[in-house]
Amino acid sequence: MRFGAIWLLLLVTLQVWGQAKQYSTTNNAAITYYQKAGAFLDRQDYQNSILQLQNALQADSNFIEAHTQLGDLFKIQYNYKPAIEQYRKVILLNPEFNRGVYLKLGEAEINLGEYNQALIHLEKYITYPTITPDNRFYGRKLIADCNFSIQALLHPVAFKPVNLGPEINSANDEYLPVSTADESTLIFTRKILNNEDFYKSNKLNGQWTAASYLSKLINTAEYNEGAQSLSQDGKYLFFTGCNRPDGAGRCDIYVSQKKGEDWSKPFNISAPVNSSGWESQPSISADGHTLYFVSNRKGGYGGYDIWKCTVTNKGWSQPENLGPNVNTPYDEQSPFIHPDDSTLYFCSNGWPGMGNKDLFVSRLNKAGKWQKPDNMGYPINSNRDENGMSISTTGGYAYFASNTLNGYGGFDIYRFELPEKTRPHAVTYVKGSVVDATTRKPIDAEVEIVDLVTNQPVYHSSSSPPDGGFLVTLVTGRNYGLTITKNGYLFSSENFSLSGQQPHKPFLIEVPLNTIEIGRSAILKNVFFDTNRFDLKPESQSALKYLINFMTLNPTVSIEVSGFTDNEGNDQLNQTLSNNRAKSVYDYLINHGVTATKLQFKGYGKQMPVAPNINEDNRAKNRRTEFKIIAK
């Protein structure tokens, strides 16, 4: 990591300063103080070393070596203002005393947001022909930061952070907030003394409740828990655990599953995700199939890189580096993959920014490649470190932590509205509950969402006790089929057409499941036909797969496939059309292994409407295909 090499060079310079025999001063008292400072430095006693250097400068204010080393000591303690004063004094006394002063001065000026001055000094530095390739590379990187920052200051973006309030924030540090898709639950890290633990808050009537300790099964007294990622439905928590007995390296990634009101004991997700290196800061995709994380493992571009793994039939795949359009020779950290699955937010000190770590956004192109990132802009980014940002599912807001605003003490958690150009693609979500149609009691059932164009599942999980709830995010521009199944019940289906839409409201549904009883029926909402035709459209395959599975699991059951139309047009034509559509489903089932003696079909035309035929929405509901239990 080139940044680390610069600091190593600085420390080596500090350690060997006392070996010099020729000084810019002949004042013996100044030299004596300077050498005493070196002795204190050998013991890493920075404060006494600084005092001795100040004494040396009182003896001779033009002692260039003392100004240089005093600036270095201030700089390694992040005390940039006095460091800048010392470096500028060196240049004033002798502009060619040490070319490295220009690099260190420029870096210190960037840390105070003095970009115009830093640009002058850094451009001077790279004119020297004998500087090392690494230092020249780093100097040019800092110049890019200056050029970006000067323009960013002239074109600020909207930024109005709102503190989440005393229910979440306290006199302690709170940071790294993540929420469920519906923003009903927020989980964050709170640091008390030197221990980091997870806390949670729920939103009731638009207000956050007082934060509470997440779980004794996850939080520990002897280890820190942090850098977490919450699945969109709030059922899985991925997080970072360091220096644990079951760890593969210094820091590993762990996962815990929600069990009722508590959580399961976390387990290490092991190789190939975790290695003997450092793995941290996980971010799980909305479908749960891809895990993004940070690692310093071999094969990266330098420093900390962002990697990803995907779930396969054999477990997690081998980690894949996100490549040079995301990672640099410096550090990339705090990845957050938005539920649109194509917008990645992260922090970096390698791409041009305001200094230190800035927040960036990268987007996946149509070829599946990450594009070079865009800086989130000033004042979202500043000359300080910015990291640990998460984005709401709707894409309108971001959560982050800061200790530079007027809060409740230390780091507080804030929310701000994202500028339009940095927002992800539009996403909505389906939030529902599954109940027994007769008792109305919640039940756990299998929930699957299928892309109706590809007939490929995009989500598969189960509704959760005790409320039978489930939550699924959906990317706009596609059409989806939802199917809910449970043994002993008729399955239920629904579809969501999001093609060409930009929905702002989620789909909130309750799904009643009927037990298998003679006379009960279920609508096959994901069986499709073109207008006035009875050929099954390809999008119908996933729904009919469930009906085939239902018949396989219930071999004693016989059903009638029923077709219906609205009241528009000729009654006889509607009767014939509905009958032909029912027969198309009947034929499909037989061709896919369902016993013909277990099947009947019938068209009912405009009979038995489920809604008054007074508008197009209602008429669409009446144009349907059902299956009914006729024997069991």
Side-chain angles (χ1 to χ4, degrees), residues 33 47 49-59 66 70 74:
Y33 285 128
Q47 294 309 309
S49 185
I50 288 172
L51 289 175
Q52 295 302 320
L53 288 170
Q54 290 171 336
N55 289 335
L57 290 171
Q58 285 183 345
L70 187 56
F74 284 135

Side-chain angles (χ1 to χ4, degrees), residues 181 183 232 338-339 391-397 415 423-429 503-506:
E183 296 184 77
Q232 290 290 289
H338 188 264
I391 311 298
S392 66
T393 296
T394 59
Y397 292 90
R415 190 176 88 153
R423 292 186 180 186
H425 297 110
V427 172
T428 188
Y429 63 88
H504 298 286
K505 292 183 178 180

Side-chain angles (χ1 to χ4, degrees), residues 524 527 529 544 547 551 558-564 578-579 581-587 589 598-604 624-630:
L524 297 169
V527 169
F529 303 92
L544 294 177
L547 185 52
M551 297 300 293
S558 296
I559 66 170
E560 175 192 276
V561 180
S562 312
F564 301 87
S578 65
N579 196 72
R581 286 180 171 179
K583 187 176 186 303
S584 292
V585 174
Y586 170 89
D587 290 340
L589 297 177
K598 297 294 182 180
L599 299 174
Q600 295 181 18
F601 68 91
K602 185 175 181 180
Y604 290 87
R624 68 196 189 278
T625 305
E626 296 182 0
F627 74 96
K628 180 172 63 176
I629 307 297
I630 57 175

Side-chain angles (χ1 to χ4, degrees), residues 319-337:
E320 175 186 344
N321 191 288
L322 293 199
N325 278 358
V326 171
N327 294 311
T328 70
Y330 299 92
D331 289 339
E332 282 66 46
Q333 293 181 303
S334 300
F336 177 84
I337 184 67

Side-chain angles (χ1 to χ4, degrees), residues 422-441:
T422 62
R423 292 186 180 186
H425 297 110
V427 172
T428 188
Y429 63 88
V430 179
K431 183 178 183 180
S433 59
V434 185
V435 299
D436 184 291
T438 302
T439 66
R440 310 305 295 178
K441 290 183 178 179

Side-chain angles (χ1 to χ4, degrees), residues 589-601:
L589 297 177
I590 291 175
N591 291 334
H592 286 79
V594 179
T595 303
T597 57
K598 297 294 182 180
L599 299 174
Q600 295 181 18
F601 68 91

Side-chain angles (χ1 to χ4, degrees), residues 557-574:
V557 167
S558 296
I559 66 170
E560 175 192 276
V561 180
S562 312
F564 301 87
T565 67
D566 58 27
N567 67 344
E568 298 257 300
N570 180 275
D571 288 353
Q572 184 57 48
L573 290 177
N574 282 337

